[in-house]
Amino acid sequence: MKLIETDVLVIGAGPAGSSTAKYAAQNGAKVILMDKKSEIGAPKRCAEGVSKEGLKKLGIEPNSRWVTKELSGVRLVSPNGTDVWLNDDQVKLPEAGYILERKVFDKFMAMDAARAGATIMIKTLARGMRKDNNGYIVSCENMGEDFEIKAKIVVGADGPESRVGRWGGLKTVIKPKNMESGIQFEMAGVEMEDPGCIEFYFGSVAPGGYAWIFPKGDDIANVGLGIVNTVTDKSAYQHLLEFVEKCPATQNAQAVELNIGGDPVGGMVKELVEDNVMIVGDAAGHVNPLTGGGIITALEAGKYAGEVAAQAIKEGDCSKKRLKEYEKICKTEIGDSFHKYFKTKEYMLSLSDEELDSIADAFKDYEFEKISTSELVKLLIKVSPKALLKLGKLF
Amino acid sequence: MIVNEWCMYCGECAGVCPRALIEVRETSLIFNEEGCKDCGICVSVCPINALDKEE
């Protein structure tokens, strides 16, 4: 059987995998980036929101080919329709951002990895792996042909399935209560009150999560929701149909695309490395447990993973001990803040529709100056004694 | 496991399978039925009810 040798094999070419491949290649490693799909970035499993600051921090210049909409604010809607508007003409929004076109963006990121020197294999599936004295041998399949890749480091960037991590001995299985079932229509004819604002809908409309409308320019928007199946008897799809039927913005809207997928919102996986194995992105729980957002953290973690992997290759030491450096950076830069957001999410989900309405009422008349996710939580603590009790020490 | 025709291969079932028995391909799912303990978690998380247990 054909055997290909490489330093680093990255499995999965989403933002996490492409970023890992790019930085590993840029720093001198021989890299293969593999994806099972015939088109990188499609179908999307994502509402496509990113923060401007996040992209800037990573040195990624916004490009008109993949930015569909620059956002000017946020609208938060409580169960009885009370809304809180946060617009950037009145409030500083450090996390304001863009809505992407993921199927273009993801390809862009993979192309960057290719330009840095990575070899890309599409429509190629990793089927399993076995330990070799100096790394792993991964069984692969492309268009009916079986072959093997021998890699000193295998990086699992394979999304919430996270099989690579499990093959490598990491505990990446996701508990059902920590797996958000996401579902979304991309729709035309969406009538938003302000098509520059992203909208969030809270309460029983999406048990265990929230519903969203993310504008993509003109009358187009991603309309979706995430639920946790342990707290509802209905499927995510049923909840979405009900939301679209009732929401004023979607009365005349038509779906042109259906997207689904799991979003791991339990926080970062404890161990991200084993001997010759690393995990990154959704596979590693690099998703903000409160918002469910993970594009920026995936790109960021990919950068750290790629840099550490390349360095480990140079030093000829791909042991767990050496790769731990990556885990430590992720913990400081990403994981620690996730702990707070996880607690906040648990608190939010403990609220009844009535409690959410009364919080929205209190927020409504508040004069905001600057709003970020953490500022919002601080305000929540101010207006809700229950929040103070549960979150006061964290923020 | 019965994988209904409307499955979209999102892989959420594979992520929650406690025994990592589900291989998600671009347009098919392969279950390693031998190791399955019939916990049903994969069936319950599916966003579009595309999985059914075989009776």
Side-chain angles (χ1 to χ4, degrees):
Chain A
M1 199 182 300
K2 185 169 82 178
L3 180 80
I4 301 168
E5 290 193 38
T6 188
D7 292 331
V8 179
L9 169 63
V10 183
I11 299 172
S18 290
S19 179
T20 307
K22 174 182 155 182
Y23 284 97
Q26 220 167 57
N27 287 285
K30 189 179 175 193
V31 179
I32 295 174
L33 172 63
M34 153 190 304
D35 200 283
K36 69 183 174 191
K37 294 191 308 256
S38 48
E39 182 178 4
I40 289 171
K44 66 176 185 266
R45 290 174 191 145
C46 176
E48 305 185 288
V50 291
S51 75
K52 284 182 202 171
E53 263 186 10
L55 287 180
K56 204 172 159 192
K57 189 176 160 191
L58 292 156
I60 299 169
E61 282 290 320
N63 186 301
S64 61
R65 285 210 246 172
W66 45 257
V67 171
T68 65
K69 184 76 191 169
E70 186 171 351
L71 300 169
S72 57
V74 181
R75 179 180 178 230
L76 307 170
V77 187
S78 82
N80 70 4
T82 305
D83 53 4
V84 178
W85 290 88
L86 310 163
N87 288 311
D88 67 359
D89 48 351
Q90 296 134 17
V91 188
K92 259 196 220 160
L93 295 165
E95 284 168 33
Y98 301 114
I99 303 302
L100 306 178
E101 189 64 52
R102 278 290 300 272
K103 78 175 164 185
V104 183
F105 179 79
D106 283 26
K107 280 197 202 89
F108 243 73
M109 295 299 114
M111 288 171 188
D112 267 358
R115 290 183 193 112
T119 298
I120 299 183
M121 295 182 174
I122 55 170
K123 198 69 178 156
T124 305
L125 182 73
R127 305 209 61 195
M129 62 190 203
R130 64 179 191 275
K131 192 84 181 73
D132 182 59
N133 49 7
N134 193 19
Y136 273 95
I137 294 177
V138 180
S139 311
C140 306
E141 187 189 312
N142 166 255
M143 311 301 274
E145 186 202 352
D146 294 325
F147 66 99
E148 292 180 327
I149 297 178
K150 185 174 170 176
K152 292 173 191 153
I153 297 177
V154 178
V155 181
D158 51 340
E161 294 161 42
S162 199
R163 298 237 296 168
V164 176
R166 290 199 255 182
W167 294 336
L170 293 165
K171 291 188 186 108
T172 62
V173 63
I174 300 156
K175 289 185 186 128
K177 72 176 173 74
N178 288 330
M179 182 71 105
E180 199 82 31
S181 273
I183 188 155
Q184 166 179 282
F185 286 134
E186 184 166 329
M187 304 186 97
V190 181
E191 294 156 337
M192 301 178 74
E193 289 194 32
D194 178 350
C197 287
I198 46 172
E199 301 190 337
F200 297 93
Y201 297 78
F202 300 97
S204 51
V205 64
Y210 62 87
W212 62 80
I213 302 183
F214 282 14
K216 293 187 77 174
D218 301 328
D219 59 348
I220 306 163
N222 287 329
V223 179
L225 51 80
I227 58 144
V228 171
N229 79 87
T230 52
V231 295
T232 173
D233 294 330
K234 292 181 206 161
S235 71
Y237 185 58
Q238 285 170 297
H239 282 287
L240 179 62
L241 291 180
E242 285 172 19
F243 177 67
V244 167
E245 195 189 305
K246 284 185 193 139
C247 182
T250 49
Q251 293 308 302
N252 297 304
Q254 295 296 323
V256 293
E257 188 173 314
L258 173 65
N259 310 119
I260 62 168
D263 196 6
V265 291
M268 199 168 90
V269 174
K270 272 210 185 87
E271 285 203 299
L272 306 183
V273 298
E274 254 303 336
D275 288 340
N276 313 91
V277 176
M278 306 168 89
I279 50 173
V280 63
D282 279 5
H286 287 143
V287 174
N288 181 319
L290 178 61
T291 65
I295 301 171
I296 297 294
T297 37
L299 291 165
E300 189 184 343
K303 178 175 185 281
Y304 306 142
E307 287 170 349
V308 170
Q311 199 55 42
I313 295 288
K314 267 184 205 159
E315 293 164 16
D317 177 6
C318 303
S319 66
K320 178 178 181 176
K321 204 176 153 200
R322 176 65 189 86
L323 300 178
K324 274 272 177 197
E325 184 191 345
Y326 159 66
E327 191 180 290
K328 275 185 201 143
I329 302 171
C330 281
K331 199 172 172 311
T332 318
E333 300 294 325
I334 300 170
D336 287 348
S337 72
F338 280 6
H339 177 67
K340 294 194 292 186
Y341 291 127
F342 183 78
K343 292 281 175 205
T344 309
K345 180 190 70 167
E346 293 209 310
Y347 161 73
M348 290 288 290
L349 295 179
S350 75
L351 298 172
S352 67
D353 280 5
E354 292 72 30
E355 285 172 304
L356 286 164
D357 289 332
S358 75
I359 288 171
D361 247 0
F363 267 52
K364 224 178 138 101
D365 305 319
Y366 192 83
E367 291 285 321
F368 293 101
E369 280 171 11
K370 176 181 167 219
I371 281 295
S372 60
T373 311
S374 65
E375 292 288 325
L376 267 180
V377 180
K378 279 180 198 158
L379 178 62
L380 188 65
I381 293 167
K382 261 191 199 166
V383 301
S384 158
K386 192 167 155 189
L388 175 65
L389 203 66
K390 299 232 169 133
L391 306 170
K393 277 185 196 151
L394 289 165
F395 283 86
Chain B
M1 192 62 63
I2 299 164
V3 182
N4 287 295
E5 170 277 326
W6 58 87
C7 170
M8 293 169 68
Y9 318 106
C10 74
E12 184 171 341
C13 51
V16 294
C17 175
R19 305 166 76 86
L21 301 175
I22 308 172
E23 180 178 274
V24 186
R25 305 173 71 102
E26 189 170 20
T27 53
S28 61
L29 287 188
I30 297 177
F31 281 77
N32 175 356
E33 307 267 359
E34 270 174 36
C36 180
K37 297 285 176 205
D38 222 15
C39 72
I41 293 174
C42 56
V43 175
S44 62
V45 299
C46 180
I48 53 174
N49 287 341
L51 298 179
D52 285 313
K53 276 191 200 177
E54 273 169 86
E55 289 305 326

